[in-house]
Amino acid sequence: MQIYLPIAEVSVNAFLLLGLGGLVGILSGMFGVGGGFLMTPLLFFIGIPPAVAVATEANQIVASSFSGVLAHLRRKTVDLRMGTVLLIGGLIGAALGVIVFNYLKSLGQVDLLVKLCYVVFLGIIGAMMFVESLNAIRNTRKGTPPKRKKHGWVHGLPFKMRFRTSGLYISVIPPVLVGISVGILAAIMGVGGGFIMVPAMIYILGMPTKVVVGTSLFQIIFVTGFTTMLHATTNYTVDIALAVLLLVGGVIGAQIGTRIGVKMKAEQLRILLAIMVLAVCGKLALDLLIMPSELYSIAAEGGH
């Protein structure tokens, strides 16, 4: 069943969009990521213009993340205090990101920037997570307990705060900086930023894995909601028809994903996520390197 998307100006199969939304929703519930880092490139692959994909995907992430957070709140695996600190940074970052996005859109360079950002970030994050997950699995098999840093550079910073749910007493500066970087990514790349947020919360802030997923999703809801609003009011690139179809699939998928995630070990989840990240990175890099079938495209003046 073909459906015409008015803002994206393309016709797409409605069931394909529902399926993509469901798939990314499952990943959202399993890994604590908004899923945008996979969904946005998938939208590129089916012909959605990058500017529309970025702005609309931020909208879909809100729904799938909200669905996932409800499941985690029931299990009491959300650190609301840490989530609020990350959120403050995230809102600042999102505002900065939209300013950069609008400037590049006026130059007509936004499509290339978005794709390059994806290749670089997905490549780095995917490789790091893959290596770390392999080491964790190896240590588990040997029976070596995972090394937990009790004191690092994070603990020497001022403005300390106690986060009871995470069992931490650390400076608020690192969480705010993590939030800002994730907010910028949310605006420029149409991602919740979970694929950066989750490793940062585990390795930089030292949070326990079981609390990380729910807390990450809590922060993602508000940052991506704010980003969507800014894109809708400044760029007019949010396609409601596309968002609704992705949203329905995403909400259902997130509930399924949360149930699957509980049954799997943390190391297994991380290595699966790393493989997916690297696969998407490889496909995007190939698309940038291979000569397109059509060398020229017609676009309105100003990159719209």
Side-chain angles (χ1 to χ4, degrees):
M1 187 178 79
Q2 293 291 110
I3 182 165
Y4 180 71
L5 306 173
I7 306 294
E9 297 179 344
V10 290
S11 290
V12 186
N13 188 305
F15 296 113
L16 173 66
L17 292 175
L18 282 169
L20 289 178
L23 171 71
V24 171
I26 289 171
L27 297 176
S28 171
M30 280 171 72
F31 303 118
V33 294
F37 71 96
L38 283 173
M39 178 61 90
T40 311
L42 288 174
L43 292 176
F44 299 165
F45 301 154
I46 62 169
I48 309 293
V52 177
V54 165
T56 307
E57 176 48 25
N59 195 0
Q60 188 261 347
I61 292 166
V62 176
S64 58
S65 298
F66 184 71
S67 176
V69 160
L70 291 178
H72 283 284
L73 280 169
R74 284 196 292 272
R75 295 193 183 89
K76 297 188 170 67
T77 50
V78 180
D79 188 331
L80 293 173
R81 181 176 271 197
M82 177 64 84
T84 306
V85 173
L86 289 163
L87 176 58
I88 292 163
L91 295 178
I92 296 165
L96 292 171
V98 168
I99 292 165
V100 173
F101 187 92
N102 287 350
Y103 174 67
L104 287 159
K105 195 162 184 282
S106 68
L107 298 178
Q109 295 299 319
V110 78
D111 291 8
L112 180 64
L113 169 89
V114 169
K115 288 184 178 177
L116 281 174
C117 278
Y118 267 102
V119 171
V120 172
F121 276 103
L122 295 183
I124 294 169
I125 299 289
M128 283 168 62
M129 283 177 73
F130 188 75
V131 171
E132 188 280 328
S133 303
L134 276 181
N135 290 337
I137 288 169
R138 211 172 286 138
N139 290 339
T140 308
R141 281 188 183 153
K142 284 180 188 171
T144 316
K147 288 176 187 172
R148 191 85 189 221
K149 285 182 189 171
K150 287 292 173 194
H151 286 283
W153 60 272
V154 170
H155 297 83
L157 296 170
F159 309 113
K160 289 194 172 182
M161 193 170 175
R162 194 170 297 283
F163 301 98
R164 294 188 191 285
T165 313
S166 301
L168 295 174
Y169 180 57
I170 57 166
S171 165
V172 295
I173 297 170
V176 168
L177 291 176
V178 169
I180 289 173
S181 60
V182 167
I184 292 170
L185 289 176
I188 294 178
M189 295 167 67
V191 296
F195 69 102
I196 285 183
M197 173 86 75
V198 171
M201 287 160 86
I202 294 169
Y203 305 120
I204 298 175
L205 307 181
M207 287 174 68
T209 308
K210 67 181 173 72
V211 181
V212 163
V213 174
T215 309
S216 167
L217 290 174
F218 168 77
Q219 187 263 6
I220 285 167
I221 292 171
F222 296 100
V223 172
T224 46
F226 181 62
T227 305
T228 302
M229 193 178 70
L230 289 178
H231 275 303
T233 52
T234 60
N235 288 326
Y236 314 111
T237 46
V238 177
D239 194 308
I240 296 299
L242 174 61
V244 168
L245 286 167
L246 294 175
L247 218 140
V248 172
V251 170
I252 298 164
Q255 293 297 320
I256 299 166
T258 308
R259 289 199 177 98
I260 298 169
V262 172
K263 294 185 172 81
M264 291 180 76
K265 289 179 182 170
E267 300 86 39
Q268 292 172 330
L269 283 174
R270 290 208 295 275
I271 203 158
L272 270 176
L273 184 58
I275 291 165
M276 280 181 204
V277 168
L278 289 170
V280 173
C281 173
K283 172 75 172 88
L284 274 174
L286 269 176
D287 285 356
L288 284 176
L289 294 170
I290 292 169
M291 189 181 289
S293 53
E294 292 176 30
L295 290 177
Y296 302 99
S297 63
I298 299 165
E301 197 177 341
H304 294 290

